[in-house]
Amino acid sequence: MKMDLMSGYKGVVGLLVGNENSSNEDRYVERLLDRISNGKLPEDRRNAITELQAVVSESQAFQLAFGAMGFPIMLSVLKEERDDVEMVRGVLETLVSALTPINHSKGASNEVHPALMNTDLLSREADCISLLLSLLEEDDFYVRYYTLQLLTALLTNSPQRLQEAILTIPRGITRLMDMLMDREVIRNEALLLLTHLTREAEEIQKIVVFEGAFEKIFSIIREEGNSDGGVVVQDCLELLNNLLRSNASNQVLLRETVGLDSLILILKLRGSSFTFNQQKTINLLSALETIKLLLKGGSESDPGKDMNKQTNKTTLVQKKILDHLLILGVESQWVPVPVRCAAMRCIGDLIAGDSKNRDLLASKVLGEEPHVEPALNSILRILLRTSSMQEFIAADYIFKSFCEKNADGQSMLASTLIPQPYSMNHAFLEEDVNMSFGSMLLHSLTLGENGDLETCCRAASVLSHMLKDHLQCKERVLRIEIEAAPMQSLGAPEPLMHRMVKYLAVASSMKFHDGKSSTSGNSYVQAIILKLLITWLADCPSAVHCFLDARPHLTYLLELVSNSSETVCIRGFAAVVLGECVIYNKSTDRGKDAFAIVDTISQKIGLSSYFLKFDEMQKSSIFSSLESSLTHRSFARSSAASMADIEDVDGNDLSEKKNLDHPILSSILDSNFMNLVKSLEADIREQIVEVYSRPKMKVAVVPAELEQRSGESDAEYIKRLKVFVEKQCSEIQDLVLRNASMAEDLAKTGSTLQPEQRVSGGSDRVPIETLHRDLQEASQRLEMLKAEKAKVESEAIMYRNLAGKTEADLRSLSDAYNSLEQSNLLLENEVKALKREGHSTFPDVDAIKAEAREEAQKESEGELNDLLVCLGQEQSKVERLSARLLELGEDVDILLEGIGDDAGAAEDGEDEEDDE
């Protein structure tokens, strides 16, 4: 049966290895396996196992041949020959050799790795894991030792399969935990096995903790000498960190069972002089990682994370953790840089979002009398003077955590910003021990005058934390003026903001001095100063006004945005500063208001090109990786940690690469700042489009505006209407030019996009769609203004015609009046001339009137008499006729009735005929 199984594997080695001699190894391994499985003498079988172990441990070809046919035979020996300890040892040692890589010269990348193949084959064998775990209960030391080595090898290459198998085996984890109380060599192997087993396996982590892992881990650490111990302490701390990482319940168990005193004891340095070898450094780093995990509180998805984090902070502070961290990170300069950095990061985590811990740190004083100073001053000095980039990042993180949402702390630090005389500003940093926090900071901010831009930008980073979201601090620092050098011709003090912009320009010029990039020296200086400006200008119109007071500032920013030799990050940040000059601009001065800034951007850069700077920045590596991987090293024996793992950031490798951001920026530019930039970008896009599509002067077209005012002459009214129409025409022309420019920019943007970019949706399409929408809105507004203009022009023409007619009437009346005046004047002149000739020749007008009146009266009396005579004659005739009619029997009254009416009717008929 066994030989049939072996024959099924025959030739596998030849197929995989592909050389002529492979069949020899295949036949040799087959003979040895035949002796082991079918041998009659135990001694011969043991010798065959020993011989097989020797060849498998030395040759990949034999490893491959053994893996193809040997596992079933060896496992059967372990099951059936448990009493033969020597044979069991040999089998286990052979299996370990088959799973151990042989480090010969590296071959091709596609070369077969027999050890990995054998691990996979063995892990697939039925009941393999349960069989190996049962061997841990054997009394023989080597059986247990080789079994642990074999399980570790299986776990290294097939972790998930082994983890699942162990969880299904009763008391499987318990047997492994018992090994921690075994002899030292067994214990160490069990530590390695458990360290691999507990990675990302929450169920196994819980079982290990309930089996008393915390007590056993700290017991081993104490036995080994805490941080002064060897690699075993490192393994214990790695296992501890696996159990605590993202696991709030295990953190609670640690705090409430074993407590945190044993952990604090690891961080405590002993003696007056300390020696730090590589192993002690890694041990301390692992212990500080444990502190960091406790300060994190657990998984982000854990609902009790925040409460657990706060409880961990309170407990650690009660255990004086801050004092130990200050000794490791700030006070003891002989501590290795990686340990100092990790300790300062823990300080930052400890005070983040905790007002009590912030106040505690602010009250701490370091040093010995008489040379004592506040802890914050010491941390600032480290930040400014260190030659290590990682140490600068860690110290900067403390100030970020201290100032974040801490208005009182920001005001306290800002109150110490008192400018020093020019002589003090140029003192050496080593002489600043007695300076206040603010004086030291301002001193460093002005060192750019001496060419020390690196120290200047580090101070600028601290200042940006102090100003963030604090309007009073921003306006206070705006009033700070820096004294100029005495030898300068223009020696007037200048605002601190103007000095920072000056250093930004100097850094840009130094970056490419003599045509060579000095990325390792100043590549991050510009980005950090721009970060300060972005933070300073945000929601602060006073800062924007101060920035625009100097016209060259705007010109320099425009050049920086369009400078292709700068990095994407720097161009994007400069574009954000320009945008802030629009959205937070409250100025009414011509040339400095938001309209002027937008017009300048459109003319010098173009809106499409300007908006593309934001898109490029969002796709840059700085935005894709907000935190540096260098700050999250895992110092474990399994990952072969060395001093190379904890070396400082080195930017020299960027000197040959163009337009790459310094790796330090991924740590300095945290997620909060990136979120600020993203929110500003959205506001800038919206505001610029609104400003660009809006007239420079808002004119409200009100119907009352078109009506003639009381007391307003026609000429003034026409003149006012003419000015109104001209203003509307000017605004319409301005809008036409703006829309033409936007359309041109949009066309350029569309033509420069790659085909795949055009069809890809999402973020690339949003700016173009926004511009399309804004262009349509502007066109609609233009049409409305054109209609309003036509209406105003028609009404103006109507009023102009009316005014012309009125003027003609007035002119004719005026001419008639003038002619009457002239006639009257002539008559008056004639009267005057007659009076001068004398009274004798002048007729008596009154006498003439009286005479004419008498004659007229006489004539009227004569005519009246004649009329009366006629009436008398007519009356007599009527009487005679009436008598005659009576005689004839006619009724005179009836005949006379209606005679007057008929006459009236006849007269009315005549009038109507006349009207027709």
Side-chain angles (χ1 to χ4, degrees):
M1 175 71 178
K2 295 177 183 177
M3 293 309 299
D4 291 340
L5 184 61
M6 288 168 52
S7 62
Y9 287 111
K10 192 172 183 179
V12 172
V13 176
L15 292 174
L16 293 176
V17 178
N19 56 42
E20 296 178 357
N21 298 325
S22 62
S23 59
N24 295 331
E25 286 88 0
D26 196 359
R27 287 192 295 270
Y28 186 71
V29 169
E30 185 177 354
R31 286 197 301 270
L32 291 176
L33 290 173
D34 180 59
R35 288 172 57 190
I36 294 171
S37 60
N38 297 323
K40 301 300 182 181
L41 298 175
E43 190 65 27
D44 181 56
R45 296 174 64 197
R46 295 190 194 101
N47 291 336
I49 291 175
T50 303
E51 190 174 348
L52 181 61
Q53 189 274 331
V55 296
V56 168
S57 63
E58 295 178 357
S59 170
Q60 289 186 349
F62 281 108
Q63 279 185 334
L64 200 58
F66 174 76
M69 62 186 80
F71 288 132
I73 296 172
M74 299 305 244
L75 291 178
S76 67
V77 173
L78 292 179
K79 291 178 182 178
E80 300 168 6
E81 309 286 344
R82 293 283 287 270
D83 295 336
D84 193 337
V85 176
E86 187 175 350
M87 188 174 293
V88 170
R89 284 183 192 172
V91 169
L92 289 172
E93 190 175 3
T94 303
L95 290 173
V96 171
S97 299
L99 270 58
T100 303
I102 300 175
N103 297 322
H104 292 315
S105 58
K106 295 183 180 180
S109 58
N110 59 350
E111 184 180 351
V112 176
H113 297 282
L116 296 178
M117 291 183 59
N118 291 344
T119 302
D120 184 69
L121 289 172
L122 181 59
S123 64
R124 294 177 184 274
E125 292 289 339
D127 300 328
C128 169
I129 306 303
S130 59
L131 176 61
L132 293 176
L133 287 175
S134 67
L135 291 174
L136 293 176
E137 297 179 346
E138 295 293 328
D139 295 331
D140 186 75
F141 168 80
Y142 287 102
V143 170
R144 300 198 304 277
Y145 177 72
Y146 289 135
T147 300
L148 286 172
Q149 283 192 325
L150 191 57
L151 286 170
T152 302
L154 286 171
L155 193 59
T156 302
N157 297 321
S158 301
Q160 187 172 1
R161 190 176 298 162
L162 191 60
Q163 288 170 350
E164 293 173 354
I166 289 179
L167 283 173
T168 61
I169 298 172
R171 297 189 73 254
I173 302 295
T174 304
R175 293 175 188 173
L176 293 177
M177 292 298 297
D178 291 340
M179 296 296 100
L180 292 179
M181 299 292 103
D182 208 321
R183 294 165 61 178
E184 184 175 334
V185 176
I186 299 291
R187 179 199 69 187
N188 296 345
E189 289 296 329
L191 270 175
L192 281 178
L193 178 59
L194 286 169
T195 299
H196 285 83
L197 196 60
T198 53
R199 287 177 184 164
E200 300 179 0
E202 188 174 352
E203 291 298 322
I204 294 179
Q205 291 172 6
K206 291 179 180 179
I207 298 173
V208 168
V209 168
F210 279 109
E211 291 289 340
F214 291 141
E215 294 87 347
K216 294 175 182 178
I217 287 173
F218 285 112
S219 175
I220 296 172
I221 290 175
R222 285 192 296 272
E223 291 176 8
E224 294 292 322
N226 289 305
S227 62
D228 293 320
V231 71
V232 176
V233 174
Q234 175 185 344
D235 294 336
C236 286
L237 290 171
E238 184 182 0
L239 174 59
L240 176 65
N241 293 338
N242 287 347
L243 299 176
L244 298 179
R245 186 176 290 107
S246 301
N247 197 321
S249 60
N250 284 353
Q251 293 181 14
V252 174
L253 284 173
L254 172 64
R255 193 176 62 241
E256 295 181 353
T257 56
V258 178
L260 303 181
D261 293 303
S262 298
L263 179 60
I264 302 295
L265 190 62
I266 300 173
L267 299 176
K268 186 176 181 180
L269 300 180
R270 299 166 183 81
S272 57
S273 61
F274 309 114
T275 57
F276 289 86
N277 54 26
Q278 176 180 336
Q279 189 58 58
K280 182 172 183 177
T281 298
I282 294 176
N283 291 345
L284 286 172
L285 288 170
S286 300
L288 289 170
E289 183 182 357
T290 307
I291 299 294
K292 186 176 182 67
L293 293 174
L294 292 174
L295 293 175
K296 186 178 179 181
S299 172
E300 295 293 337
S301 59
D302 194 332
K305 171 194 169 186
D306 293 335
M307 183 179 296
N308 183 55
K309 177 171 66 175
Q310 189 58 44
T311 306
N312 288 344
K313 283 186 177 183
T314 303
T315 306
L316 287 169
V317 170
Q318 291 172 352
K319 302 296 182 182
K320 308 295 183 183
I321 185 65
L322 184 57
D323 294 334
H324 295 290
L325 293 175
L326 286 172
I327 291 174
L328 283 173
V330 182
E331 199 167 8
S332 301
Q333 292 303 303
W334 55 85
V335 175
V337 170
V339 177
R340 295 208 302 267
C341 294
M344 284 193 285
R345 284 196 163 273
C346 286
I347 293 174
D349 291 335
L350 187 67
I351 66 175
D354 193 307
S355 58
K356 292 182 179 179
N357 291 348
R358 287 168 178 163
D359 295 340
L360 180 62
L361 175 62
S363 66
K364 289 292 181 181
V365 177
L366 303 182
E368 297 180 359
E369 293 290 348
H371 304 293
V372 296
E373 67 174 349
L376 289 176
N377 288 33
S378 300
I379 297 170
L380 178 62
R381 182 174 292 103
I382 291 175
L383 179 145
L384 297 173
R385 293 168 57 176
T386 181
S387 59
S388 166
M389 288 295 172
Q390 283 297 310
E391 196 168 8
F392 157 56
I393 294 172
D396 184 78
Y397 178 66
I398 292 179
F399 289 110
K400 172 188 173 297
S401 301
F402 183 83
C403 295
E404 187 74 29
K405 297 180 180 178
N406 182 17
D408 293 337
Q410 290 171 292
S411 299
M412 183 268 292
L413 294 179
S415 65
T416 64
L417 292 170
I418 302 173
Q420 299 293 315
Y422 180 82
S423 58
M424 287 294 293
N425 285 341
H426 290 74
F428 291 105
L429 275 175
E430 289 76 5
E431 300 173 4
D432 62 0
V433 178
N434 297 322
M435 284 188 179
S436 67
F437 181 93
S439 298
M440 195 189 313
L441 189 65
L442 287 177
H443 173 202
S444 303
L445 286 170
T446 58
L447 287 179
E449 293 293 319
N450 300 334
D452 190 359
L453 291 174
E454 185 170 341
T455 303
C456 174
C457 91
R458 292 181 181 185
S461 182
V462 176
L463 182 60
S464 67
H465 299 316
M466 293 168 57
L467 300 183
K468 184 181 179 184
D469 299 329
H470 200 304
L471 184 60
Q472 289 78 15
C473 284
K474 292 178 181 180
E475 294 181 344
R476 179 184 186 127
V477 179
L478 276 178
R479 295 191 292 268
I480 295 177
E481 293 189 340
I482 304 299
E483 183 180 349
M487 68 286 298
Q488 293 181 355
S489 58
L490 299 176
E494 61 180 333
L496 177 61
M497 175 178 282
H498 292 194
R499 186 68 67 92
M500 298 312 300
V501 179
K502 173 184 175 182
Y503 295 154
L504 177 64
V506 172
S508 180
S509 63
M510 292 178 62
K511 184 177 178 182
F512 297 97
H513 186 62
D514 296 333
K516 296 181 180 179
S517 172
S518 58
T519 305
S520 60
N522 294 317
S523 65
Y524 62 93
V525 172
Q526 291 171 280
I528 292 180
I529 295 179
L530 284 169
K531 176 191 174 186
L532 170 61
L533 293 177
I534 291 172
T535 306
W536 203 341
L537 296 180
D539 202 20
C540 185
S542 301
V544 172
H545 182 76
C546 178
F547 180 83
L548 295 176
D549 271 346
R551 184 66 182 178
H553 291 177
L554 185 61
T555 304
Y556 170 66
L557 271 185
L558 292 167
E559 294 176 353
L560 197 60
V561 171
S562 55
N563 189 351
S564 59
S565 62
E566 297 290 354
T567 66
V568 170
C569 180
I570 291 175
R571 294 199 300 269
F573 285 177
V576 173
V577 175
L578 274 177
E580 287 180 313
C581 292
V582 175
I583 61 177
Y584 300 120
N585 193 323
K586 305 299 182 184
S587 176
T588 57
D589 298 341
R590 186 175 182 181
K592 293 183 181 179
D593 59 358
F595 299 101
I597 305 301
V598 174
D599 281 338
T600 306
I601 294 174
S602 176
Q603 294 171 9
K604 301 294 184 181
I605 303 175
L607 288 184
S608 63
S609 180
Y610 173 75
F611 288 144
L612 281 176
K613 299 298 184 292
F614 294 118
D615 299 331
E616 293 171 357
M617 178 176 61
Q618 294 288 354
K619 297 174 184 177
S620 66
S621 59
I622 298 299
F623 273 73
S624 60
S625 58
L626 294 180
E627 293 187 3
S628 173
S629 59
L630 294 174
T631 61
H632 298 281
R633 292 285 187 181
S634 177
F635 301 100
R637 176 163 38 146
S638 58
S639 59
S642 65
M643 289 306 291
D645 293 322
I646 51 180
E647 286 180 354
D648 198 19
V649 177
D650 184 9
N652 292 327
D653 58 342
L654 298 179
S655 59
E656 300 300 327
K657 303 176 182 179
K658 295 182 179 179
N659 298 344
L660 289 180
D661 294 304
H662 198 284
I664 191 178
L665 294 180
S666 60
S667 298
I668 292 295
L669 306 177
D670 53 43
S671 58
N672 290 335
F673 177 74
M674 295 304 188
N675 292 333
L676 170 65
V677 170
K678 290 179 182 179
S679 63
L680 285 173
E681 177 194 346
D683 294 339
I684 289 167
R685 288 179 184 270
E686 180 180 355
Q687 186 69 15
I688 284 184
V689 172
E690 180 182 351
V691 169
Y692 202 79
S693 60
R694 191 174 66 220
K696 291 183 179 179
M697 300 175 65
K698 295 181 180 179
V699 179
V701 182
V702 184
E705 189 84 4
L706 302 175
E707 296 179 358
Q708 188 171 8
R709 300 169 183 171
S710 60
E712 185 179 30
S713 67
D714 293 329
E716 292 175 347
Y717 179 51
I718 292 170
K719 182 178 180 181
R720 184 165 60 82
L721 288 177
K722 182 179 179 182
V723 171
F724 181 81
V725 172
E726 289 177 351
K727 189 181 296 183
Q728 290 282 22
C729 291
S730 175
E731 297 299 343
I732 291 172
Q733 291 175 358
D734 183 61
L735 284 175
V736 170
L737 292 175
R738 288 172 181 267
N739 291 334
S741 177
M742 290 180 70
E744 183 179 355
D745 287 340
L746 188 60
K748 290 180 180 177
T749 304
S751 63
T752 55
L753 289 176
Q754 298 295 330
E756 60 271 15
Q757 289 177 317
R758 294 179 185 177
V759 297
S760 66
S763 60
D764 291 341
R765 222 172 29 233
V766 170
I768 299 177
E769 292 176 351
T770 302
L771 288 174
H772 272 302
R773 184 174 62 254
D774 295 334
L775 184 58
Q776 291 175 356
E777 293 176 357
S779 299
Q780 293 174 359
R781 182 177 176 82
L782 179 61
E783 293 299 327
M784 292 174 60
L785 288 175
K786 285 182 178 179
E788 291 175 358
K789 177 193 172 188
K791 180 180 178 182
V792 170
E793 287 179 344
S794 63
E795 291 180 353
I797 292 171
M798 179 186 70
Y799 284 111
R800 191 178 295 114
N801 294 335
L802 181 61
K805 181 180 179 182
T806 304
E807 285 181 354
D809 294 341
L810 289 173
R811 195 176 297 109
S812 63
L813 289 173
S814 178
D815 293 341
Y817 179 77
N818 290 335
S819 64
L820 289 174
E821 286 290 334
Q822 291 175 358
S823 300
N824 186 39
L825 181 60
L826 292 174
L827 291 174
E828 288 180 353
N829 291 335
E830 290 178 359
V831 171
K832 290 179 182 179
L834 292 173
K835 285 183 178 180
R836 283 196 299 268
E837 291 177 358
H839 296 282
S840 59
T841 59
F842 192 78
D844 189 355
V845 178
D846 294 333
I848 294 172
K849 288 181 178 180
E851 184 179 357
R853 191 179 299 112
E854 290 177 358
E855 291 179 355
Q857 187 175 2
K858 290 177 180 181
E859 290 179 359
S860 62
E861 288 179 354
E863 291 177 356
L864 181 58
N865 291 332
D866 293 338
L867 182 60
L868 289 174
V869 172
C870 289
L871 286 175
Q873 293 175 356
E874 291 297 324
Q875 181 64 30
S876 62
K877 289 179 182 180
V878 170
E879 290 176 355
R880 285 195 299 270
L881 287 173
S882 297
R884 180 62 180 164
L885 288 172
L886 287 173
E887 291 177 358
L888 293 174
E890 295 294 336
D891 191 348
V892 178
D893 293 333
I894 294 174
L895 290 174
L896 293 176
E897 184 179 357
I899 291 177
D901 296 337
D902 294 339
E907 290 175 1
D908 292 340
E910 292 175 359
D911 293 338
E912 290 176 0
E913 290 175 0
D914 294 338
D915 292 337
E916 292 176 358

